[in-house]
Amino acid sequence: MHDPERESTAATAQVTPSLDLIFDLLSNRHRRYTLYYLHDQPDGVATFEEVLDGVVTLQERLAESESTSSADAETTTETDRKQRQRQIQTELQHTHLPKLEDAGILEHDHRSETVRYWSQPSLEEWLEHAQHKEQQ
């Protein structure tokens, strides 16, 4: 997950978040998945749709790996997926991206629908640990 070459092109946040804030931000899986996705982008920038797709895909992948029965995965319809995607979209737009933006971790430009991640070493230390544990 950590790419030293990317650090030269990624923007870095000006303020170091407190440990309490870091854990609060990482306490929600959709915020973690958003950060996983953005951190893995070469320049830390993606469209809102790309972020949404990345979060939905990761959630589905992790849900499948947690599922003990393959029959559960087969019963998921396209309608269910679209409904889940709309719910995640609403949560990202109205809760998670604003919270990450207020913390100085990212910037969401509503006009261009782009999201820019501001590199934050103290957050990334815990983010990498969480990703390793969550995606084993």
Side-chain angles (χ1 to χ4, degrees), residues 87-106:
Q87 179 183 358
I88 293 170
Q89 177 180 357
T90 301
E91 290 176 12
L92 286 176
Q93 288 176 324
H94 297 288
T95 304
H96 304 307
L97 292 183
K99 186 167 187 144
L100 290 165
E101 191 168 24
D102 288 346
I105 305 300
L106 59 78

Side-chain angles (χ1 to χ4, degrees), residues 12 23 26 29 34 46 48 53 56-57 65 78 102 117 128:
T12 303
F23 286 135
L26 297 178
R29 68 181 171 183
T34 297
F48 176 78
D53 187 55
V56 170
T57 300
S65 68
E78 186 63 24
D102 288 346
Y117 170 71
E128 289 174 7

Side-chain angles (χ1 to χ4, degrees), residues 60-79:
E60 289 173 348
R61 192 179 79 209
L62 292 176
E64 285 175 15
S65 68
E66 291 174 0
S67 177
T68 57
S69 167
S70 61
D72 292 341
E74 293 175 15
T75 60
T76 301
T77 66
E78 186 63 24
T79 304

